[in-house]
Amino acid sequence: MFRLFLAVRYMVSRPVSYLAVAAIGVAVMALITVWSIMNGFLGETRAMIRGTTADIVVTPRESQRSPWSRERLETLIVGVDGVEAVCSRFVRPAVFKVHGTVWNRMNSSLMATSNQLIVLGIEPEDELEVTKLRAYLDDVDDPALAVADAEAPFAFERSRILDRRLRNAGLGRVILGEDIMVNHDLRPGMALELVTATDGDPFATEPQIAASSQTFIVAGAFNTGHYDTDVRQVFIERAAFKAWSGVTQEASEVYVRVSADIGQTDAAGLDQVRDQISITLAEDGIPAVTQTWLDRHRIFLNAVENERNILAIVLGFFVLLTCTITFSMLTMMVQEKVRDIGILAAMGASPWGITAVFGACSGMVAGFGGLLGMAAGTTLVIYINQVKDGIESLFGIQIFRKDVYAFTDIPAELDLMLNAKVAIVTVIFSIVICSWPALRAGRMDPVDALRHE
Amino acid sequence: MSEASTERPEGVPVAAAPDAGYGDVVLAARDIAKRYRMGSESIDVVRGVSVELRAGEAVAVMGRSGAGKSTLLHMLGLLDRPDTGALSIGGVETVGLSVGERAALRNRQVGFVFQFYHLFGELNALENAVMPLMISHGIADWSRVGRDCRRRAEELLVELGLGDRLRHRPSQLSGGERQRIAIARALVGHPSLLLCDEPTGNLDEQTGEIIESQLFGMARRHGAALVVVTHDPLLAARADRTLHMHDGRLEDAE
Ligand SMILES: Nc1ncnc2c1ncn2[C@@H]1O[C@H](COP(=O)(O)OP(=O)(O)OP(=O)(O)O)[C@@H](O)[C@H]1O
Ligand SMILES: [Mg+2]
């Protein structure tokens, strides 16, 4: 009984023990918060990548020896077990110019990058089956920028074309990422030029390149929530894409949606479908690269995960460092309590009992510190965005910049099991490093301790 | 002084307890000796002491400074191990006991009172006095017996006139009051042996006298054998017998 009783009394009467509790608490809180936010980032990043790509992407290569048709390709892929739907898409880089403005503006270094686009040529009905296009069309922040009909996004009434002269020109429609619209002050009904390099004649002896330009009417915006995508990508219809770019190929890539039970959770299942597609295409002589969404973004996802782990290790060391406060606290305390140790022995406390008194001190400090840190960290993670908003409005700064992070809310994912583990490791580590002064206290010769001045 | 210190020289009598008028033998030491080594030199601090103590008996130990009185007291109370000799307390032979067994026996049988009180500054009077009982009971036990233990400590403190000082910290109490807490603490576990090392050495004459009479009275009432190390002949005169520590040996005062 005396062990805990005395340990509690020793602790509550010493200010340094509160300091140690606070230090461990702050460290544990920092670790938990950073870990949760990094996990949130990872989750958000995965979700975003997931949303802007398909479960599996097949990139066929043009082949002179065995030319393939889009129909053949799609049929083969759909035939694979676990595949639900496919859509063929074209992808091509382009620059654009808002109709009626001067090209000179593009010389500005700002424009030089913001005018670069990735143009995707899609079949809306197929695309809606495979990707989240429908949701992105609905998620547009400014209703004035939305497409008129998300079911038929490219249908844009001629009467709404702003430049009357273009109303009867039979121009293609373009759907842009909302951030492009906002950055360039674009509205539905406006016209813009898309410029790209055509493939040219593959059999020409001289390398040649030619530009191709066409005017498109802005039909509306989409919003993936992923800034990089929303500031870069535009959709045009497949047929319009072919006419504009002069492409001879049937598809740049084929997006594949697998059945929900495989797609949502099971990375191994996804790999299996991927391999099956590869085999099927190879058997048919179609050269293609088949990748799951994880394959395609592995480096980026690994980088985020790596960053998280490095931060966790650094902060883990920080936590362990604060645990050494308990060590120095206990060492000083044993020094100070030599006479108490003597009298404890005289009253019949065993060496182990005396060790336990001091062990309990370090255990309590680390335990309370760990619990405090866990509670504070968990609370902070839950209210992280309120805290962020509070700080932002208090100091008039923007902590979380949309253009840097692609999300405005801080994503945080609570991992209570991990939080508990952090607290437990803190306690165990403290007790382990504090066992030295505690054992020293127990081993002290009681007679020497009593004679201690 | 290199000859075996265990040999009791001729003519030195065993400081045996008087035969009649007291209770059972609670402590029996045979030829216990202690030698301190300091590098190549060694000092025989205690050389072959034999002594018997009976319940209810009060013994004073005198001797000049450095004679080995404290060392002897520590050995009698199982805080220190004699190099040679045998020591039994409450009928238990202690030589072969482990550290833990010695601690448990000390907890049950021995109460110490020191010159400098040695109270816990973080605890109040009552908590200080009840500490030996806390040591003998585990947490599970304590919930059952804690109340009785506290009552026992409180009774002792009241008996010593500290009824209105139960919640005071040692720093809020006078030297005499502190020493009374130490006496209560030494007696709380019903020890058969009360060992005091200059209990009044740090107190003024008047207070010392009060503490002395309380100490002797309490030891007698609670049936413990009392050993008091002192430099004070008046205190020694209160004892049933006085032993002199001289040159590491214990001699009956004539
Ligand atoms: N740890 C030790 N190492 C070496 N010598 C020691 C040690 N402890 C005590 N001594 C020596 O043992 C002798 C006896 O010491 P002790 O404290 O028993 O004397 P004492 O009779 O109690 O004296 P006093 O009346 O001053 O308290 C002293 O000479 C002391 O120097
Ligand atoms: Mg002494």
Side-chain angles (χ1 to χ4, degrees), chain A residues 402-422:
Chain A
K402 186 181 171 161
D403 49 349
V404 177
Y405 286 106
F407 1 82
T408 39
D409 272 355
I410 301 178
E413 238 168 58
L414 259 187
D415 183 351
L416 286 174
M417 266 315 286
L418 183 104
N419 297 1
K421 277 185 209 153
V422 169

Side-chain angles (χ1 to χ4, degrees), chain B residues 62-92:
Chain B
M62 298 189 73
R64 57 171 182 74
S65 184
K69 305 182 294 296
S70 297
T71 305
L72 175 64
L73 206 68
H74 292 150
M75 289 194 291
L76 297 184
L78 300 176
L79 270 177
D80 213 349
R81 269 182 205 270
D83 295 332
T84 53
L87 175 70
S88 72
I89 290 179
V92 179

Side-chain angles (χ1 to χ4, degrees), chain A residues 9-49:
Chain A
R9 287 309 180 82
Y10 278 167
M11 288 293 87
V12 296
S13 62
R14 326 189 91 231
V16 67
S17 55
Y18 299 104
L19 185 77
V21 167
I24 292 176
V26 168
V28 168
M29 182 186 81
L31 175 56
I32 285 175
T33 309
V34 166
W35 179 269
S36 301
I37 291 178
M38 289 307 289
N39 263 349
F41 260 115
L42 198 58
E44 201 89 341
T45 310
R46 277 164 165 271
M48 265 177 192
I49 289 172

Side-chain angles (χ1 to χ4, degrees), chain A residues 54-72:
Chain A
D55 297 326
I56 293 173
V57 177
V58 178
T59 313
R61 266 178 289 127
E62 204 153 4
S63 159
Q64 297 303 322
R65 271 184 296 128
S66 55
W68 44 268
S69 74
R70 174 185 163 212
E71 281 70 28
R72 178 87 192 118

Side-chain angles (χ1 to χ4, degrees), chain A residues 277-353:
Chain A
I277 293 173
S278 288
I279 292 166
T280 307
L281 295 182
E283 278 171 355
D284 214 69
I286 300 178
V289 177
T290 308
Q291 291 175 304
T292 68
W293 69 280
L294 285 166
D295 295 336
R296 294 190 83 187
H297 300 279
R298 178 149 291 150
I299 291 172
F300 182 62
L301 288 173
N302 284 355
V304 176
E305 206 171 296
N306 216 44
E307 224 171 285
R308 177 197 67 179
N309 293 346
I310 287 170
L311 273 171
I313 289 169
V314 169
L315 285 167
F317 276 117
F318 180 43
V319 169
L320 299 189
L321 191 70
T322 58
C323 286
T324 59
I325 294 178
T326 54
F327 174 82
S328 44
M329 182 193 80
L330 207 68
T331 309
M332 286 192 302
M333 204 167 97
V334 170
Q335 214 88 45
E336 214 176 282
K337 297 293 183 193
V338 169
R339 284 163 147 259
D340 285 15
I341 292 167
I343 193 64
L344 275 172
M347 288 189 294
S350 67
W352 277 115

Side-chain angles (χ1 to χ4, degrees), chain A residues 1-2 4-6 9-10 13 337 339-340 342-351 445-447 449-451, chain B residues 70-71 74 79-80 99 103 106-107 112 114 116 118-120 122-123 127 131-132 134-135 137-139 142 185:
Chain A
M1 174 62 204
F2 76 105
L4 210 58
F5 178 75
L6 210 53
R9 287 309 180 82
Y10 278 167
S13 62
K337 297 293 183 193
R339 284 163 147 259
D340 285 15
I343 193 64
L344 275 172
M347 288 189 294
S350 67
D445 178 26
V447 174
L450 283 168
R451 285 184 196 265
Chain B
S70 297
T71 305
H74 292 150
L79 270 177
D80 213 349
V99 175
R106 186 160 64 232
N107 177 252
F112 274 104
F114 298 99
F116 297 105
H118 283 313
L119 299 175
F120 292 97
E122 290 84 0
L123 310 185
E127 291 161 343
M131 191 44 84
M134 279 197 166
I135 290 172
H137 294 97
I139 285 188
W142 193 252
R185 177 176 69 184

